[in-house]
Amino acid sequence: MARVSQEHLDARRRQILDGAALCFARNGFHATSMQDVLKEVDLSAGAVYRYFIGKDELIEAIVAEVLGAVRDVYERAAREDPPAMPDELIARTLAHMARERPALTDDGQWLFPRLMIQAWTETLRNETLSALLDEGFAKVLAAWAKVVVRYQEAGMMRDDVDPDAVARTLMATVQGFGAQYALFGSFSPEALQAGVRGLLSMREAPDATGNQSVKNA
């Protein structure tokens, strides 16, 4: 019997993950059965169960992969000299996810943010997924904090700023975008980038003499 190549195995696993993610994003985890996944990927039960024993394992694999992809974006950014500004980095992250998850586009709609909301909700009942998300979040936060430290080293941000606080705020911005997109669908990545750029342009209001506040001078 001919041996199946690793490339073939990886492609089949990718096919299953993308098909399952599309099903979950459309209908939610609980309304999606393994039969729905089998129909979506057009594979037999034996072919799918060779890779994943059930729906929970599929969900956990999708979440772990997404968190790893996001972390990698920030790890690479931390090695840049100088690192990209936050508005550019956030836009880069969203573009990367849209590019890497093409299977989550259904009738022209990007469904990844809906999948993200589903994953957050699922952690309330799934302890294994909750622990996985906590671990992944911590790694993404650490990668973002590295970028903030690089901002400080490059003279782009004050030294007395807490990297963890900035990292959490930037992550919350991306998460908030995902929530708005999933619920309303009218908030574009370009609008988010423009908004962050606008916030970065703020200055202290001048005092009564018309001079800028001393603390930010």
Side-chain angles (χ1 to χ4, degrees), residues 5-216:
S5 70
Q6 187 61 47
E7 183 179 359
H8 174 83
L9 294 173
D10 291 344
R12 181 55 54 84
R13 187 176 187 275
R14 172 83 277 134
Q15 177 186 355
I16 296 169
L17 284 174
D18 284 349
L22 182 55
C23 288
F24 294 145
R26 282 194 196 120
N27 303 314
F29 293 141
H30 297 290
T32 299
S33 67
M34 283 302 290
Q35 286 301 317
D36 294 325
V37 176
L38 297 178
K39 182 178 179 181
E40 181 67 38
V41 300
D42 194 24
L43 293 172
S44 68
V48 172
Y49 287 120
R50 177 180 182 180
Y51 296 86
F52 304 99
I53 61 175
K55 192 165 66 171
D56 283 350
E57 191 169 289
L58 271 169
I59 295 168
E60 291 159 13
I62 291 167
V63 170
E65 183 179 62
V66 168
L67 288 170
V70 174
R71 183 189 69 240
D72 289 345
V73 172
Y74 302 138
E75 289 282 0
R76 288 195 296 270
R79 295 192 292 268
E80 295 177 0
D81 188 21
M85 292 287 285
D87 61 306
E88 179 184 340
L89 188 50
I90 287 173
R92 185 187 301 175
T93 303
L94 295 171
H96 176 79
M97 296 313 299
R99 182 175 62 252
E100 293 298 311
R101 301 276 76 82
L104 296 187
T105 301
D106 191 29
D107 296 331
Q109 183 182 11
W110 189 37
L111 296 181
F112 173 75
R114 289 174 58 178
L115 181 66
M116 183 181 72
I117 299 296
Q118 293 288 342
W120 292 347
T121 304
E122 187 68 7
T123 61
L124 300 178
R125 75 158 198 95
N126 185 325
E127 293 184 359
T128 301
L129 183 62
S130 179
L132 178 67
L133 195 63
D134 285 346
E135 180 182 359
F137 180 89
K139 290 179 179 178
V140 174
L141 179 64
W144 251 122
K146 288 180 183 178
V147 177
V148 177
V149 170
R150 288 289 297 113
Y151 288 153
Q152 294 172 321
E153 292 173 347
M156 301 164 66
M157 185 175 288
R158 297 200 319 262
D159 291 338
D160 60 344
V161 171
D162 179 8
D164 183 77
V166 176
R168 287 180 179 275
T169 300
L170 292 170
M171 286 181 65
T173 300
V174 176
Q175 291 169 327
F177 166 81
Q180 286 195 45
Y181 191 98
L183 294 172
F184 309 113
S186 59
F187 189 21
S188 71
E190 293 77 18
L192 177 64
Q193 183 178 9
V196 173
R197 187 184 301 122
L199 289 172
L200 292 173
S201 71
M202 290 185 66
R203 298 289 185 272
E204 283 285 334
D207 59 23
T209 64
N211 297 317
Q212 190 179 20
S213 174
V214 173
K215 64 181 179 180
N216 282 329

